[in-house]
Amino acid sequence: MSIPEFSIEGLSQIVRSLERYDEATLTNAGPKTPTTRRATEQLIWRLESLLFPFEHPWEEAVEAQGTAARIELLGRIIWDLAHQIHRVDPHDCTGDPCQGLCRAFHTAIEFGKRLPDIQALLYMDADAAYQGDPAARNRSEVISTYPGFYAIMVYRLAHELFRLDVPLLPRLMTEIAHSQTGIDIHPGAQIGSSFFIDHGTGVVIGETTEVGDQVTLYQGVTLGALNFPRDVQGQIIRGQKRHPTIGDRVVIYSGATILGGNTVIGAGSVIGGNVWLTHSVPENSRVINQPQVDVKAVTHKN
Amino acid sequence: MSIPEFSIEGLSQIVRSLERYDEATLTNAGPKTPTTRRATEQLIWRLESLLFPFEHPWEEAVEAQGTAARIELLGRIIWDLAHQIHRVDPHDCTGDPCQGLCRAFHTAIEFGKRLPDIQALLYMDADAAYQGDPAARNRSEVISTYPGFYAIMVYRLAHELFRLDVPLLPRLMTEIAHSQTGIDIHPGAQIGSSFFIDHGTGVVIGETTEVGDQVTLYQGVTLGALNFPRDVQGQIIRGQKRHPTIGDRVVIYSGATILGGNTVIGAGSVIGGNVWLTHSVPENSRVINQPQVDVKAVTHKN
Amino acid sequence: MSIPEFSIEGLSQIVRSLERYDEATLTNAGPKTPTTRRATEQLIWRLESLLFPFEHPWEEAVEAQGTAARIELLGRIIWDLAHQIHRVDPHDCTGDPCQGLCRAFHTAIEFGKRLPDIQALLYMDADAAYQGDPAARNRSEVISTYPGFYAIMVYRLAHELFRLDVPLLPRLMTEIAHSQTGIDIHPGAQIGSSFFIDHGTGVVIGETTEVGDQVTLYQGVTLGALNFPRDVQGQIIRGQKRHPTIGDRVVIYSGATILGGNTVIGAGSVIGGNVWLTHSVPENSRVINQPQVDVKAVTHKN
Amino acid sequence: MSIPEFSIEGLSQIVRSLERYDEATLTNAGPKTPTTRRATEQLIWRLESLLFPFEHPWEEAVEAQGTAARIELLGRIIWDLAHQIHRVDPHDCTGDPCQGLCRAFHTAIEFGKRLPDIQALLYMDADAAYQGDPAARNRSEVISTYPGFYAIMVYRLAHELFRLDVPLLPRLMTEIAHSQTGIDIHPGAQIGSSFFIDHGTGVVIGETTEVGDQVTLYQGVTLGALNFPRDVQGQIIRGQKRHPTIGDRVVIYSGATILGGNTVIGAGSVIGGNVWLTHSVPENSRVINQPQVDVKAVTHKN
Amino acid sequence: MSIPEFSIEGLSQIVRSLERYDEATLTNAGPKTPTTRRATEQLIWRLESLLFPFEHPWEEAVEAQGTAARIELLGRIIWDLAHQIHRVDPHDCTGDPCQGLCRAFHTAIEFGKRLPDIQALLYMDADAAYQGDPAARNRSEVISTYPGFYAIMVYRLAHELFRLDVPLLPRLMTEIAHSQTGIDIHPGAQIGSSFFIDHGTGVVIGETTEVGDQVTLYQGVTLGALNFPRDVQGQIIRGQKRHPTIGDRVVIYSGATILGGNTVIGAGSVIGGNVWLTHSVPENSRVINQPQVDVKAVTHKN
Amino acid sequence: MSIPEFSIEGLSQIVRSLERYDEATLTNAGPKTPTTRRATEQLIWRLESLLFPFEHPWEEAVEAQGTAARIELLGRIIWDLAHQIHRVDPHDCTGDPCQGLCRAFHTAIEFGKRLPDIQALLYMDADAAYQGDPAARNRSEVISTYPGFYAIMVYRLAHELFRLDVPLLPRLMTEIAHSQTGIDIHPGAQIGSSFFIDHGTGVVIGETTEVGDQVTLYQGVTLGALNFPRDVQGQIIRGQKRHPTIGDRVVIYSGATILGGNTVIGAGSVIGGNVWLTHSVPENSRVINQPQVDVKAVTHKN
């Protein structure tokens, strides 16, 4: 057996090739690694246990029901969150380092103080799901099993961190929910109360989307961008309103696509399945595809 | 550094806010926590190893091939399943507690006795996938890698628990499969033999759907509800037939949407991609979208 | 309490039923188990750390940045990969067993030697995503959080193993990415450089698809087969070109479906959302659905 | 490279040799595997959290302090314990299998009901350690860090299972404590209240030892058997009193060895370090080694 | 089957009994839980990887060799250590809470700054082991496999935390080493350079022991207290010198016991195996047991 | 809050100090890391499951009882062992690298072929324990719970690797057993059949010890070196016979110490507890300490 490449020298040669990009990466992103997916999953999991200890018991058998247990868990969340914020903070390396440390803790605690409001919103979301789905048995079943509820919960938590200018972490959080549910909500989107997504696989909600109260979406709905303005060098212009605005009490059925930063769906409208919409519609509109289906009864031979 | 909120008192105040909903939750859901996602994943994983030890070896290296190993594993499954059933059983707290214990074991064992029939159905499903997909190399590859097969396996196991009136657990099981595969099959659906879902992301099959034998679905197919009847108080009426009936040997291509409890797709029909169908079609129908595509060859400038 | 079935005898009877299929499975698939999903996940995870140590740090806190650490990690990857190749190699049991061992190591090392080229392609993919998405902050964010990038990374790694005739493992790898992202790319597909998939849930790219350079896909795009030729016995004919060919610089918007082995999308074309296309189009085409939307403003009564 | 043995055939030959003993093992021990070390460790760990939630918080951050959490944990302990008892019960396979199931649950619940008494004894043990060791800061430090306390806790729990005639499991429990602490207490030993073992490595307390109240042992103390009576065939006679009886308030210093079933140490006695004792001593004895040390001051050259 | 106790009511009754001691525990120990054993193990494991990345590679395959990786790991250690210090700090709850936070970080960073000195001492310890044991192949083998070295490493790390007045954590650390090695070194002991413990099981070194440079101990050596002075109420007086002082270059063979706060072993002395010593000896002493062994050659009859 | 040291610069300074020793370590030990403790634990755990599947079931519920499962497990053990051997092989880096690869596999397979003989010896050891301990219920209890048996099992496995000239790994294996049991057997020792160690904490058996058949040891027995010959430079001379030779059927009671390479204990001898022996004794000797105990019955005042 002759495998000369499986020597330290052979392996080194491959690794040296792999290191070509390191300098560019460090120059671009600074010397600090981002937080990891695993740490982010743990953060979500702990927040879930803190907010809904009955539906998401910590580990297999123990709920964080007791007050002391919840205080302990909240303290732990804030401490680790401060660490994650500190690691991803791009301004940390310059000037006085303790500023970054201090800011990380203040941000983490501010997030902690907003948790009761987030919890209240989430209970309203769970009620909306229970009201809107005949298959739901009770609110606890929604909280413990509905992927749409999970995606909204992670979005609402990530959105608060996004508002607190925490970089990267909110996006990591919503991508974890995306991976679990197939529902892709950008943490920058602004979504009102009593939001319900049923089934949800394939839903996309872009960064500058605005959604009112009591809105319902079904699987495969896209609230996306129409096209991206570019500057004279052909570079994409970032930070503009690119995604639609959805009014209160709108229902959007499966597979519908609504695109564009100027597109406004008036309150109370119903958007039918598979509709492709790139312009605004007034309040209480009903938008449906005209059926173009061709049915033939044939003698099946094969 | 001045962070007075990160004291026991500061944390307690947040936690006390979070506890507002506890009483309502306990009143609604009873004092018992539901089973956890982790325990449910383990249940699925063990059943998989029991039914297909060659394709889903337990852990990294050891198959549950030996008869004694399988007996041990089956005994373990039944015992833990009895615990999970006992925990989610809503009638457990009233009257004689040993009734609940007894019933949990009887249900778990009854489930165990149905496993050989489920296994037989699943081999038929795997054969259908092998027959229907030119990319499949052999039946074992289907069992070990096809997400459609995985979703059907979890559905068939969950459906038996659903039939045994086990609450919550079947839904948790199919939501785990939904998360893994993007295929959302309600455990209450009734599905015939030799069922094949290819690719599968975005498939939704509702609670009261009926599917015949030898049916094939592609990704993005919805078998859903048209609208929900409400009672005079505006409350959704639960438990009615809301989803379609699909005959034997029907093929439904990607993105098709079939809605409504009265919609019946006749045996042998073929439903084309992206079709939106809310009424019945007879046997051997071919339903396709009329092409409305507009092609322009342009000089691409940018 | 009378549960006679929960005895060794009762359990044995169930297990004996479950063993009916063992002989057929062994006859079909040989005596070796395939590699497991868990081992395959670990392989992907290690490759990710090796290629992008800054964006995918190993475990929680330590990057494989040092040269020695990367050599160690590469050596480990090759060794375990050789084991996995050896286990799934269908020709291993016949003739001289050491041939299989030797071939496994040669294949694993050959794969290792191709990693720098794969890494270079992946950096081009990450740049394409950064150029194409206004929401992206920098290239590292793409590498660490974009599901489309993850799916392409796993595909490019799996594709090299596919080209090295490693059975089963490439498919397991891309199915893991499918499960994580909802993007289903067959390892046999041939995809050019600077490939970008945005959001991605529901994307399907079939085994014989060919994709040029600088192509962009959005969520829900299918590059699939039209129908499967069968031989005179009605058996599917495997191994033929069944999926489309996509030219350079093509953009395909969400929900579009392009089918058939003879379908060629000319370079520079733009395929609109939800388009259903089963025939070729020339270079620089713009293919869009004619809007058939019916909007009614109604007084919403509920 | 020529390694013909690393073939299925070569490996099979080794495995067939390894299977020679299987039949004898099954004949001797019955078809059921014993419980595993891992499951037993989990049982100890859960009991620890149930009895001392403040000192042994479950997992990293959450205590089982809340009443509901403790009820849940206790229910889980009893259920899993019933499974373990059921698996190791040697009479289970004969006759009516449900008897074994029923007995397992009754035993597990009976054990649960004795936990408050065990807890009370353990608090007395912790107080004895705090009173006896100047290095101890408070009772909680004893409970959370002292290996002697851990060994006594596991012994007291295992002893109750031993008294309930549960086979094997008590021994597995005390061997886990032995491995953690170097303190080997047989679960059959009878030990009074306020027992304190300091440091503890090397302590051995045999199966038929009796220990009074307020006894203190230091590291390396053996309470063992002198010799074993054998029957006329030369077989050891099992089940006789072979180990000593220690009175109340006895202190035994490090390395002392006390042997024999007829050896009685009178209450209030003090046994010095390294003493070797095979006969009884009256109350309030002081037993010490006469110093035989030879001291030479030498000019150290090497 | 009649098990009325296995009801929520039955379990509650047991749990309520278990809660009797909660108030006393909280009053004694304050509302904060101590750090956990698992978190402490992780701290040791990370420090080990930071100090000796070649001998204690992080996880299976990756060393923290690169400078950036070590910086990352050190930052993580300090952050988590600050959390642990903050949790066990008994003064935290009174007055200004941010003082505790600030102090925790300062203490953790001060510990980090002492690590290079600790590392230098540990390399001297490893060299002493290599010089003193003919079975050692090289210094790396000592660092990676010798239990005596492990116990000394954990002691030196814990001792610095002890000197920084961190409560509980140092003791938890040395008890973990005690459990792994059977070597019980109190973190308060003061030990010089080039210290070597061979085999080590059963070694005990008390809180106020002082040990010079180049000292060697074998298994089973006790450096302990003779007796404890008590005050007029009979309470132990804590904090006095109770353990011996060992001079430079002393060798103490297996099983020797040296007791008492006034006992001083002069530099260069050799203490023989099993010696029991409660008084001082001058420099360069040789202390041995006079042999009292009685040998009889008998005809062995069995 | 002012913590300037917790900056990248501050941490870098500490890390640069820690890196002082790296070059020396790499020069001494070569560029390869040794195998890890975790990988070695897994190796032991797998061997245990392979040899005694009924007593050491793999994971919680599944035994490797089936022939196919055992073949799979054996193949896995050999493959991973080859990797570990390859990593620790000191000759690997020079000359033709494939020699090391080849040799690693040959060594691993040779080890595999010796497993049946090791298993046979271990069954004899288990029988000896059952015959010698009245507390043992059956042979399976010995195999599953006795620490002495565990230490002997690991020693016998490690000793074969030691004989195959595998560096470091055997020592890592026996140190893991030492940590679990307090029994320290050097892998180089030569030990006959039917060996029994009862309780075992504190037992030390040195590298050049020779032990006959049917020998029994109790806890705290040392078979050690008397002193180490040094060369003219004062360096220890390595590789000489330094530890005693123990004849067949010898029994050595707790705490006995036997030292020296020329010390031979004749067959059939009995060595009493705490005996200190540095010279040979003939066959069938009985060696005991003359009792020097001083008993005083005193009125206990304190």
Side-chain angles (χ1 to χ4, degrees), chain A residues 45 50-51 53-68 70-72 74-76 78-79 98 101-102 105-106 109-110 112-117 119-121 123-124 129-141 143-147 179-182 196 198-202 218-219 230 234 253-255 272-274 289 291-300, chain B residues 1-8 10-22 24-26 28-39 42 87 162 168 171-172 175 178-180 182-184 186 201-207 222 225-228 230 234-239 242 249 255 257 259 268-270 274-277 279 281-290 292 302:
Chain A
W45 185 41
L50 181 69
L51 299 183
F54 297 92
E55 287 85 3
H56 294 283
W58 185 266
E59 278 301 301
E60 292 199 1
V62 182
E63 311 145 42
Q65 279 176 296
T67 303
R70 266 174 153 173
I71 290 173
E72 176 66 29
L74 176 59
R76 178 94 196 186
I78 288 173
W79 197 279
C98 43
L101 192 58
C102 214
F105 268 98
H106 271 294
I109 289 164
E110 179 58 31
K113 291 164 76 177
R114 296 183 187 178
L115 288 174
D117 288 348
Q119 188 199 42
L121 277 174
Y123 271 114
M124 292 176 72
Y130 176 63
Q131 296 302 327
D133 181 8
R137 265 70 175 164
N138 54 59
R139 195 170 70 179
S140 284
E141 185 182 336
I143 295 174
S144 62
T145 70
Y146 274 50
S179 172
Q180 291 293 319
T181 64
F196 174 37
D198 203 3
H199 307 300
T201 310
Y218 288 84
Q219 66 272 22
R230 290 175 184 267
Y253 284 100
S254 67
N274 286 5
N289 267 325
Q292 301 290 333
V293 170
D294 184 23
V295 181
K296 295 177 196 159
V298 301
T299 310
H300 198 71
Chain B
M1 182 170 167
S2 173
I3 310 185
E5 298 92 338
F6 197 68
S7 60
I8 296 296
L11 298 175
S12 296
Q13 198 171 325
I14 298 174
V15 165
R16 273 193 295 273
S17 294
L18 293 172
E19 290 174 341
R20 289 165 299 173
Y21 297 92
D22 285 7
T25 300
L26 287 167
N28 275 349
K32 292 197 305 171
T33 55
T35 186
T36 65
R37 183 180 167 100
R38 186 172 298 192
Q42 193 180 47
R87 289 174 85 210
F162 184 92
L168 197 61
R171 185 66 188 263
L172 264 170
E175 283 299 345
H178 183 191
S179 172
Q180 292 292 319
I183 299 169
D184 181 356
H186 195 285
T201 310
V203 165
V204 174
I205 301 177
E207 183 180 12
T222 295
L226 194 50
N227 50 41
F228 309 140
R230 290 175 183 268
Q235 295 294 309
I236 278 179
I237 301 172
R238 297 169 196 270
R242 306 181 304 277
R249 284 165 290 111
T257 303
L259 305 178
S269 297
V270 175
N274 285 4
V275 163
W276 181 271
L277 202 58
H279 56 80
V281 298
E283 295 199 0
N284 297 317
S285 302
R286 290 182 150 263
V287 185
I288 56 169
N289 266 324
Q290 290 181 338
Q292 301 290 333
N302 182 24

Side-chain angles (χ1 to χ4, degrees), chain E residues 61-140:
Chain E
V62 183
E63 311 146 42
Q65 279 176 297
T67 302
R70 266 174 152 172
I71 290 173
E72 176 66 29
L73 183 54
L74 176 59
R76 178 95 195 186
I77 286 169
I78 289 172
W79 197 278
D80 282 6
L81 182 58
H83 190 205
Q84 295 198 38
I85 292 170
H86 189 252
R87 290 173 83 210
V88 297
D89 189 333
H91 307 298
D92 178 49
C93 312
T94 60
D96 183 0
C98 43
Q99 292 305 317
L101 193 58
C102 213
R103 200 168 50 239
F105 268 98
H106 272 293
T107 304
I109 289 164
E110 179 59 31
F111 176 73
K113 291 164 75 178
R114 295 184 188 178
L115 288 174
D117 288 347
I118 297 174
Q119 188 200 43
L121 277 173
L122 289 170
Y123 270 114
M124 292 176 72
D125 296 326
D127 284 334
Y130 177 64
Q131 295 303 327
D133 182 6
R137 265 68 176 165
N138 54 59
R139 196 171 69 179
S140 284

Side-chain angles (χ1 to χ4, degrees), chain D residues 190-201:
Chain D
Q190 298 171 50
I191 298 179
S193 65
S194 298
F195 185 46
F196 175 36
I197 302 174
D198 202 5
H199 308 299
T201 310

